[in-house]
Amino acid sequence: MCGIVGYAGHRQALDVVLEGLSRLEYRGYDSAGIAVIAGGKIAWAKRAGKLGNLTSALAESPPLPGMVGLGHTRWATHGAPTDPNAHPHTDCGGHLAVVHNGIIENFADLRDELEARGHIMTSETDTELVAHLLEDELAGTWPGAGPADRQSAEPGPAGGWPSDGWPADAAGPPRPAAGSLAAGMRAVCQRLDGTFTLVAVDIRDPDVVVGARRNSPLVVGRGHGENFLASDVAAFISFTKEAIEIGQDQVAEIRADSVEVTNFDGSPAQVRDFVVDWDAAAAEKAGFKWFMTKEIAEQPRAIADALVGRVDRDGLLVLDEMRLSDEELRGVDKIVVLACGTSFHAGLIAKYAIEHWCKIPCEVELASEFRYSDPILTRSTLVIAISQSGETLDTLMAVRHAREQRSRVLAVCNVKGSSIPRESDAVVYTHAGPEMAVASTKAFLTQLISCYVVALYLAQVQGTMFADEIGAVLDDLRTMPAAVEEILELMEPVREVARQLAGERCVLFLGRHVGFPVALEGALKLKELAYMHAEGFAAGELKHGPIALIEPGLPVVVVVPPPSQLPVLHDKIVSNIQEIRARGARTIVIAERGDARVMPFADTLIELPVVPSLMQPLVATVPLQVFACELADAKGHDVDQPRNLAKSVTVE
Ligand code: M6R
C-alpha cells in the first residue's frame, strides 16, 4: 500500500524516481507525486489518478535537473484521492518534502497541536503533519514555537510542477537547519503512533534522502555512486541487486556515496545485506497484455523453482532458514496457520496435507481475526504465517501476537528482506519471483508447494511418514510443473465461457475437501478483478442456505474431487450438481479428465490432468485464475490494478 522511492546519486533523480514508481504502482494507484532537489531548491509535482497523469503533466514542463529526489504512488487512507492529498507534502516554508506509507494514529492530536502553533495544513492527510513536525524540529523551534516564529507560505500549487521551472523559495532564504534531516526524522518518529514508512528531502540538507520505518516496508538499494530507498526492491532492480533490510524503528540516511542506518534513539543499527535473486526482466510484462496473464503463464516455472534444493544428498528434506531445531519441531503438537486473502486459502488447503501427513491438529485463521482473539497457544504450537509480500500488516501483527505467547513462527513468504520473515523463527521462501499483478496467482501455487514441503519436513522430523513415502510425495510434486503446463494449454474453453458471462451479475463457486478453498479462491479472484458478486461454498453447505440463491441461468462453477481417489465426495458433489441443475443453474464443471459420471451434468466442462487429490488445487485453481482474468478483461477493467485494491496491504 503506497509505493515510495528515494534516490541520491549521479543520475537525474526525476528519471530514476519515475522508473521506480512505475515498478511500484501495483502498491497503490490513487495518485502519484515526486520531488527533486538541486541548486538549493526543491520542486515537486503531484497528480490524482494513475502515474500516467503525473508523467503526462511532467512531459509538458521544462526538464528538472537534480540528483536527489523522492516519489510516491498512493493508496488513499486519510483523504480522498485528490491533487492536494497526493504526496509529497511540504512544510509551511516549502523547504522539505515528505512521502508516507501507513497510518498515523495520533493524527488528530498532532494536527491540533500544529495548528495551534500556526502551521497551515493544505491537505486532509496524516502525512502532512510529518512535514510540519519536521519543519519545527529542523528549525529548532519545537516545542513551544508560536505562529509569529514562522513565515507561512503558500504551498506549491496542487500538483504544482511549476510551468516556469524551479519555484522561487516560497519563504525567502531558508533558515539553517538546527540539526540534520536524519536527526529531525528520528525525533519526529518518536512522536508518531501507528504504522509508517517515511521518506523526506530538505533543501538545507540537499545531498541526503532520509527514510524511516515502523511496521511498513523500507529497503535500501546500494549502488556505485548512488543509493536508493524504496518500499520494495522492484523500484531499483534495474540499477542494483544489492539491498539492505531496514529494521523496525530505524532511520536510513542515503547520500550518493554512503548509507547510514540508526535506531530511532540515534544509536547505530544492526542491518542485514541481501542480494535480490531476480532481475529487471522478471518485473516486465514481456509481451503479455497484463502482468497477471504473464504470471499465470509463469506458474510451471515458479512451482519448479519452489522445489529446487529441497532435498540433500541423503534424500532428506531441507528448508531455507530453519532457525528451529529438529528437537523443537519434534515437540510440535499443534499448528496454527495465519494469513489473509489468497494466502489464507493456501493455508486452508495446507491444513488437509498437514493433518494427513503429520497427524498434527491444524487450525487456519484469518490473521486480522487472530490478532484480536485469545488464541490458545503454547511453546509447542507452531505458527505458520503465509504471506506473498511479507508485509501484510494483519499477518505481521498476528505473528507478533503469537510470538508474545512464546509460540514459534515459521514464515512462508515470497519477498526476501520483508518484515514477516525477519520477525519469524524460520522462513521458507516460495521463490515465485516478483508478482506485480494485484491478484495473486503464482504466489498462491508456490505457497501450496512450500506448505507441502514444510508438512513433509515435519513428517520427516516427527516420523509420521517413512522416507520412501515422503520420497513418493516429492516425486508427485515434481510432476506438477508439467501438469500445470498441460492445463494452461487447455484454457480456450475457459476464456470463451468467461467472455459469455461478462454480462452476469453473480457467479457461485462450489467445492468439497481441498476443492472448497479452491472455490473460495475462484470467487475471490472474480470479485477483485471483475467486481462481480461471487461466493465460494462448501458444496455440502448448499442445502443449509445457499441453494436459495440458485435461479434459472445462474452460473455455478463446481470443482469436482477426483472420482477414483475421493469416490464418496465425488458421488456427493455429483448429487449437488444435479440439485442445482434441477433449479436451472448453468454449470461450469472443473473435473478430472475422463470423469464420465459428471459429464452429463456439465453445461461447460473443463478437464484437469489426473493428479493426486491433495495436489488437485495446483491444477484446479488455474482455470479459475484465467476465468477471472478474461472476464475482467472482457468488461474493460484494468486487470493488474483493480479498483480500490493494492498489492501489499500495510494498513490494518
Ligand atoms: O502479501 P500477502 O500474501 O500477505 O497478501 C494477502 C492478501 O492481501 C492477498 O493474497 C490478496 O487477497 C490478493 N490480492 C488476492 O488476489
Side-chain angles (χ1 to χ4, degrees), residues 25 31 48 53-54 77 105 127-128 144 192 195 198 220 290 307 381 394 408 431 463 478 501 507 551 566 583 596:
E25 206 183 7
S31 64
N53 293 357
L54 176 70
T77 56
E105 287 167 0
T127 309
E128 192 183 352
L192 306 178
T195 62
L198 294 161
V220 169
W290 303 109
L307 282 165
T381 305
D394 289 315
R408 313 306 175 96
H431 301 292
R478 289 191 195 99
L501 297 182
V507 181
E551 54 189 36
L566 296 172
R583 290 159 176 85

Side-chain angles (χ1 to χ4, degrees), residues 78-316:
H78 282 67
T82 59
D83 285 354
N85 289 335
H87 302 210
H89 291 283
T90 56
D91 60 330
C92 294
H95 300 137
L96 59 88
V98 177
V99 291
H100 169 219
N101 170 24
I103 291 185
I104 294 166
E105 287 167 0
N106 53 340
F107 152 85
D109 292 347
L110 290 171
R111 187 172 180 126
D112 290 349
E113 176 191 317
L114 285 161
E115 285 179 341
R117 290 213 299 273
H119 286 271
I120 297 161
M121 303 293 155
T122 61
S123 76
E124 303 160 272
T125 65
D126 49 352
T127 309
E128 192 183 352
L129 306 174
V130 176
H132 293 277
L133 287 169
L134 268 174
E135 175 179 25
D136 280 355
E137 199 57 54
L138 292 174
T141 58
W142 178 86
D149 199 41
R150 99 180 22 83
Q151 298 150 299
S152 84
E154 280 300 301
W161 200 272
S163 54
D164 55 354
W166 295 96
D169 290 327
R175 287 168 295 181
S180 71
L181 179 58
M185 181 65 93
R186 284 192 289 268
V188 167
C189 286
Q190 298 194 48
R191 300 214 57 213
L192 306 178
D193 296 335
T195 62
F196 49 85
T197 299
L198 294 161
V199 171
V201 290
D202 185 308
I203 48 177
R204 291 159 294 189
D205 217 346
D207 302 325
V208 69
V209 186
V210 167
R213 74 168 287 265
R214 171 180 289 164
N215 298 333
S216 280
L218 180 66
V219 283
V220 169
R222 209 197 271 276
H224 298 288
E226 60 185 348
N227 289 300
F228 307 79
L229 283 166
S231 310
D232 162 340
V233 297
F236 51 72
I237 191 68
S238 350
F239 304 103
T240 182
K241 290 181 164 191
E242 289 175 35
I244 304 172
E245 296 177 11
I246 302 300
Q248 180 74 343
D249 288 3
Q250 292 181 351
V251 167
E253 193 176 356
I254 62 162
R255 293 181 166 75
D257 54 4
S258 68
V259 175
E260 198 176 329
V261 186
T262 46
N263 297 306
F264 281 0
D265 63 7
S267 58
Q270 294 278 356
V271 294
R272 203 167 135 178
D273 291 2
F274 67 102
V275 177
V276 184
D277 56 6
W278 48 272
D279 54 27
E284 308 282 354
K285 281 192 199 155
F288 286 86
K289 180 172 181 186
W290 303 109
F291 276 113
M292 186 178 177
T293 41
K294 176 183 174 234
E295 288 159 8
I296 289 172
E298 284 173 345
Q299 292 183 114
R301 158 104 264 159
I303 59 178
D305 288 349
L307 282 165
V308 166
R310 296 296 183 206
V311 180
D312 69 12
R313 282 200 196 144
D314 302 325
L316 291 173

Side-chain angles (χ1 to χ4, degrees), residues 339-344 386-392 395 420 437-441 447 521 524-525 528 645-649:
C340 303
T342 289
S343 301
F344 174 71
I386 309 176
S387 174
Q388 187 284 131
S389 61
E391 298 293 350
T392 299
T395 311
I420 291 169
V438 165
S440 197
T441 53
Q447 285 167 349
E521 176 61 7
L524 175 62
K525 283 287 157 291
E528 71 175 330
L645 289 170
K647 181 80 181 156
S648 180
V649 184

